Amino acid sequence: MTKKVTTSTLLKMKQDKQKITALTAYDASFAKLFDEQGVDVMLIGDSLGMVLQGCEDTLSVSIDDIAYHTKSVRRGTERAFVIADMPFMTFATPEQTYQNAAQLMAAGASMVKVEGGDWLVETIKGLNLRGVPVCGHLGLTPQSVHVFGGFKVQGRDDLQAEKLFEQAQALAQAGIQMLVLECVPSSLAEKISKAINIPVIGIGAGPHTDGQILVMHDMFGVSANYMPKFSKNYLDITGDMRTAVKMYIEEVRSGTFPSAEHSFN
């Protein structure tokens, strides 16, 4: 029987300095492919608004959209840890969050992910008390794209970097069990990864986090909109999807991905 990846597995991987591999997934077929190749974590991301629905951002994705795709991914998964995104404005209040998180857990998620800083502290504590593990998300949080004025690297100046560092600590103290850092300088991501005792997964955050995640469409070079600087087209290199996933896993674990060209200073 295949041993399932759990929060304890992921924590031990951080402690043992073994890199965690993660990809977004949205259906049973790709979930099965990723699972069989050994991907540790699959995220049903609200990125589906852009890569599946063709929208310019993630803001129109609903809780029902995420629940539907979570059910599909769960059916294709035996080993990997499954995380579901909480879409835009589905966690504005604690009570609303509890109801929507319950829907995603019932659909097959083992953890929910929320975007935002210390304003989420009480909500995170409440989710934990109700048996719901939480993944945080800091840096470029796509649901705040209009506040940021576009998809821009976060934490480049000292004041912003210090604020992100403090928010990561606040979220960890509140009880998140994983943190995603998106589009932040490598040095800041390394500092945060060393400072908190939970796994930190990077996307455009350099090679020094505890693991990496990519949007599957970017990794296969089939995104409808654009190819981010921090991504790499593994399908173009290998010509085969399974081999592409295997190569991604090997490069993350060896530390060769992301390289300097996929990172921000």
Side-chain angles (χ1 to χ4, degrees), residues 39-90:
V39 171
D40 301 308
V41 176
M42 281 185 260
L43 169 69
I44 299 85
D46 59 4
S47 49
L48 68 86
M50 300 173 76
V51 297
L52 296 187
Q53 298 173 345
C55 302
E56 291 185 355
D57 53 42
T58 66
L59 305 186
S60 63
V61 176
S62 70
I63 197 74
D64 290 337
D65 289 337
I66 297 288
Y68 171 86
H69 290 281
T70 299
K71 286 179 182 176
S72 300
V73 169
R74 173 53 73 188
R75 292 185 188 115
T77 305
E78 288 186 21
R79 173 187 171 272
F81 191 73
V82 176
I83 305 175
D85 252 340
M86 298 280 290
F88 181 62
M89 292 300 287
T90 63

Side-chain angles (χ1 to χ4, degrees), residues 24-183:
T24 64
Y26 313 96
D27 64 39
S29 297
F30 277 108
K32 187 172 187 292
L33 188 155
F34 299 159
D35 203 48
E36 288 174 346
Q37 299 310 310
V39 171
D40 301 308
V41 176
M42 281 185 260
L43 169 69
I44 299 85
D46 59 4
S47 49
L48 68 86
M50 300 173 76
V51 297
L52 296 187
Q53 298 173 345
C55 302
E56 291 185 355
D57 53 42
T58 66
L59 305 186
S60 63
V61 176
S62 70
I63 197 74
D64 290 337
D65 289 337
I66 297 288
Y68 171 86
H69 290 281
T70 299
K71 286 179 182 176
S72 300
V73 169
R74 173 53 73 188
R75 292 185 188 115
T77 305
E78 288 186 21
R79 173 187 171 272
F81 191 73
V82 176
I83 305 175
D85 252 340
M86 298 280 290
F88 181 62
M89 292 300 287
T90 63
F91 52 100
T93 66
E95 289 302 324
Q96 179 193 35
T97 308
Y98 305 152
Q99 183 175 347
N100 288 325
Q103 183 178 348
L104 297 183
M105 296 295 282
S110 296
M111 178 181 276
V112 299
K113 182 168 76 66
V114 291
E115 294 185 11
D118 47 16
W119 66 273
L120 284 166
V121 162
E122 292 309 314
T123 297
I124 291 163
K125 289 178 179 177
L127 285 168
N128 285 175
L129 286 171
R130 288 159 178 81
V132 179
V134 186
C135 176
H137 186 154
L138 291 172
L140 171 58
T141 46
Q143 293 173 17
S144 302
V145 62
H146 295 308
V147 176
F148 295 147
F151 294 94
K152 298 178 179 179
V153 179
Q154 302 297 305
R156 272 187 159 150
D157 66 72
D158 291 343
L159 191 64
Q160 200 178 56
E162 185 59 30
K163 185 177 180 182
L164 280 173
F165 182 75
E166 289 172 355
Q167 289 190 338
Q169 290 182 309
L171 293 181
Q173 288 166 7
I176 61 168
Q177 291 179 279
M178 186 183 296
L179 177 65
V180 170
L181 289 178
E182 181 169 356
C183 288

Side-chain angles (χ1 to χ4, degrees), residues 7 10-15 17-22 41 83 111 113 134-139 164-165 167-169 171-172 176-213 248 252 258:
T7 52
L10 298 170
L11 181 59
K12 190 171 189 307
M13 289 177 75
K14 177 186 175 93
Q15 293 167 345
K17 294 182 168 47
Q18 181 183 348
K19 295 288 188 180
I20 297 164
T21 59
V41 176
I83 305 175
M111 178 181 276
K113 182 168 76 66
V134 186
C135 176
H137 186 154
L138 291 172
L164 280 173
F165 182 75
Q167 289 190 338
Q169 290 182 309
L171 293 181
I176 61 168
Q177 291 179 279
M178 186 183 296
L179 177 65
V180 170
L181 289 178
E182 181 169 356
C183 288
V184 301
S186 299
S187 56
L188 175 59
E190 182 177 12
K191 182 181 177 183
I192 291 172
S193 300
K194 289 179 176 177
I196 60 177
N197 61 0
I198 57 170
V200 177
I201 309 300
I203 177 166
H208 304 299
T209 53
D210 303 306
Q212 300 292 329
I213 185 167
Y248 165 68
V252 170

